Amino acid sequence: MATSTMRRRGVVGATSVLVALALAGCSGSHEAEQAAEPVTVDGGVLRAAFAGGSTETLNYLQGPTALDYVRARLVHAPLCELDPTAPDGVAYGVVESIEMSEDLSEYTLRVRDGVTFTDGTALTSADVLYSLRAPVLLEGLPFTRLVSRNVDLDAASAPDPSTVVLPALAPLADGRELICQSMLAIKDGTTEFTPQTPSSGPFTIAAFEPGQSTLLERNDGFYGQAPTLDEIELMSIADGTARVNALRQGQVDYISGLSPAQAQNLEGEGGLSVATSELPYASYQFFAMNLEHEPFADPRVREAFKLAVDRERIVENVYFGHAFEGNDVPALGFGSYDDSLEQRTHDQDRARELLDEAGRTGMSVELTVGPELPGMVETATLVVEDLKAVGVDATLAELAPGQLFADYPAYLALPFKAGYTPPAPFEPNHTPGTFPEVDALVQTARSAPTAEERLNASHAAQQLLWEKGNQIAPVFVPTISAASTAVSGVRELQFPDFAQATITP
């Protein structure tokens, strides 16, 4: 994909229907190859490798790795999924519709008929309601609890087998996005996740060994479009170089989580295709300035840091064009993102002036980072170089893999640190508490009676964040993956989905 295309804010990447690569983008050369309808055959085994690790778990509510959710999405059917191109902004699954009351106080979910679990029982509204309550009951990770923060799940009800009624805690316009962000269907009363746990997805678990592999077999009782593949083997290969070598040697058919440098080396290699994800499926990479750290309480210092960073250099030199230039506001590519915001430029002279005005020329700061996202450490290295160029005594503190967020309260207290959020809409994922004016606007954006009022409030909130926010966000990072050209049909929402993947001999 051309660098100029990837750099442009808000421009979607190459066509997503081509090769089976995480987050469904493609390279230009492969796009031409796929102009003709591909020849596929039923059956076969797809071997896909991810970073994984010994902490893998079948409990997707607590799973710390991307592989945990990839696996869960194949085993447990989604209630629904984010889809910015759909009329409601979501694609429906075992829930076939979500109706919102006119006063935004209540949501009614209709459960699809004919969905069954692998134990032969029918999936009903009781299962859907339990699936929504489970993140709290089973102590799921924070990203799984978005619904519970906005909906009164204690007062929710299932008045009949096909209906779930969810009262909102406050007027709520984006309830569909909350419900469909990461919720999968599990059976009422499920407390443990094993290969024998009843499930409703397109595949079932035949074998699971954490940190090694998972063997999935086609579920012939799946309610939706039947999978083509007989089996999928999800392999855990922690080392990125080892994953690349496994692909080159034909030991696997697909690999996820390439570094930009690895992608650059693989592009053009015979029999393989490299792909980057389309917007909005790119992670928001940022460098947060702690307002409790005195220099960053001054908006002039924050603006100087933002102007010091050369975003185009990061896209070119770290990601080799496989990234989208950021503008210090999240949710690029989602419907409410404010494309009218002026792109912040690289202006070293103005950055020096602002630091001088604030009396902070020569200030010292340490940027804490870890390899939690491909290219994050390399991006932080360039950020430090850019800050030094405007007179900041900047240094880099690089932590070992997995350590950046290990002690989260300590992480939040750091003066200057790297971070990221996965692809998600802005409003329901906004974390309040830093800028009260922004918080109030986001609340209006989520509860105002008309769509116009909501969008105007969202754009006003983004404008304020752009002007005085405490995050430098130079780049949105798509997932970069590679596969054999024999693979096709992988679909991406927030994670690669192999449910309709095919592989040719």
Side-chain angles (χ1 to χ4, degrees):
M1 184 174 293
T3 301
S4 59
T5 301
M6 294 297 288
R7 185 188 301 133
R8 195 176 304 123
R9 290 190 306 121
V11 177
V12 176
T15 309
S16 64
V17 298
L18 306 180
V19 293
L21 305 174
L23 304 186
C26 71
S27 65
S29 61
H30 195 71
E31 182 175 357
E33 294 172 16
Q34 290 292 313
E37 186 175 342
V39 177
T40 60
V41 295
D42 288 341
V45 179
L46 174 70
R47 300 159 301 171
F50 293 80
S54 60
T55 58
E56 289 174 46
T57 172
L58 296 181
N59 182 352
Y60 90 95
L61 298 171
Q62 297 178 350
T65 75
L67 180 51
D68 292 315
Y69 195 80
V70 170
R71 180 195 305 110
R73 173 61 183 75
L74 292 168
V75 174
H76 304 286
L79 301 186
C80 45
E81 299 163 318
L82 292 178
D83 183 357
T85 66
D88 288 341
V90 301
Y92 292 106
V94 301
V95 170
E96 64 179 2
S97 69
I98 301 176
E99 301 160 12
M100 178 174 62
S101 65
E102 288 188 9
D103 62 0
L104 310 182
S105 67
E106 187 175 87
Y107 285 79
T108 302
L109 284 58
R110 304 296 179 188
V111 180
R112 190 179 303 276
D113 290 335
V115 182
T116 59
F117 289 103
T118 50
D119 64 358
T121 58
L123 185 149
T124 71
S125 57
D127 303 301
V128 170
L129 183 53
Y130 182 79
S131 299
L132 294 169
R133 288 171 169 166
V136 175
L137 297 174
L138 303 182
E139 299 181 346
L141 293 170
F143 83 92
T144 70
R145 301 194 189 194
L146 290 176
V147 174
S148 66
R149 294 174 191 156
N150 297 271
V151 171
D152 188 350
L153 290 175
D154 290 334
S157 63
D160 61 62
S162 298
T163 307
V164 175
V165 178
L166 302 176
L169 291 170
L172 184 68
D174 51 24
R176 290 188 182 94
E177 287 84 352
L178 288 172
I179 295 165
C180 300
Q181 193 153 309
S182 58
M183 292 293 98
L184 303 179
I186 59 176
K187 190 170 181 177
D188 187 9
T190 297
T191 57
E192 295 183 352
F193 294 82
T194 72
Q196 292 74 42
T197 298
S199 59
S200 57
F203 288 85
T204 61
I205 300 172
F208 171 60
E209 187 175 355
Q212 298 296 321
S213 68
T214 306
L215 181 63
L216 303 174
E217 295 178 343
R218 180 170 55 200
N219 176 15
D220 291 327
F222 177 56
Y223 80 93
Q225 183 177 351
T228 296
L229 295 167
D230 292 323
E231 296 178 342
I232 298 174
E233 185 176 7
L234 301 176
M235 303 175 68
S236 180
I237 303 177
D239 182 74
T241 300
R243 288 198 301 277
V244 170
N245 289 338
L247 179 65
R248 281 177 164 149
Q249 295 164 13
Q251 297 168 352
V252 299
D253 309 297
Y254 171 100
I255 58 175
S256 181
L258 269 71
S259 72
Q262 288 169 335
Q264 184 78 352
N265 290 333
L266 280 176
E267 271 187 321
E269 196 164 312
L272 302 177
S273 291
V274 173
T276 54
S277 61
E278 290 188 5
L279 290 175
Y281 302 112
S283 294
Y284 174 68
Q285 183 180 135
F286 61 85
F287 300 92
M289 299 170 279
N290 189 339
L291 301 186
E292 298 299 318
H293 186 64
E294 185 178 349
F296 293 135
D298 191 327
R300 294 170 297 182
V301 173
R302 301 197 299 272
E303 176 70 7
F305 272 48
K306 295 174 187 176
L307 292 172
V309 175
D310 189 340
R311 298 153 199 263
E312 291 189 5
R313 181 167 77 127
I314 290 168
V315 172
E316 298 260 5
N317 294 352
V318 175
Y319 295 96
F320 302 99
H322 292 278
F324 303 95
E325 185 174 339
N327 199 25
D328 307 324
V329 176
L332 179 65
F334 284 94
S336 64
Y337 182 84
D338 189 355
D339 289 301
S340 70
L341 290 172
E342 178 185 353
Q343 175 63 52
R344 185 167 271 113
T345 58
H346 179 222
D347 191 339
Q348 291 180 318
D349 291 338
R350 181 57 181 156
R352 293 188 189 97
E353 289 174 3
L354 287 166
L355 289 171
D356 185 58
E357 290 174 13
R360 295 296 180 180
T361 299
M363 66 173 282
S364 297
V365 67
E366 182 178 73
L367 174 54
T368 304
V369 67
E372 309 307 319
L373 194 68
M376 180 179 278
V377 173
E378 294 85 347
T379 299
T381 300
L382 294 189
V383 168
V384 166
E385 289 180 5
D386 288 338
L387 291 173
K388 287 180 178 178
V390 299
V392 176
D393 180 16
T395 56
L396 191 70
E398 182 180 348
L399 303 181
Q403 293 303 305
L404 184 62
F405 308 119
D407 184 344
Y408 201 67
Y411 167 79
L412 292 176
L414 290 168
F416 192 31
K417 65 259 188 181
Y420 80 96
T421 57
F426 165 58
E427 300 82 10
N429 291 278
H430 171 70
T431 301
T434 304
F435 299 103
E437 295 169 272
V438 174
D439 298 345
L441 285 166
V442 171
Q443 182 58 38
T444 300
R446 302 191 65 199
S447 62
T450 70
E452 182 180 10
E453 289 176 282
R454 295 194 293 268
L455 186 62
N456 288 341
S458 177
H459 285 185
Q462 293 173 58
Q463 179 70 44
L464 279 176
L465 284 178
W466 187 88
E467 291 173 357
K468 66 176 186 178
N470 66 325
Q471 293 179 349
I472 308 166
V475 66
F476 283 79
V477 181
T479 296
I480 309 174
S481 302
S484 160
T485 52
V487 177
S488 61
V490 173
R491 186 175 67 106
E492 177 56 32
L493 297 170
Q494 288 175 300
F495 295 90
D497 174 18
F498 302 106
Q500 295 302 317
T502 60
I503 187 165
T504 57

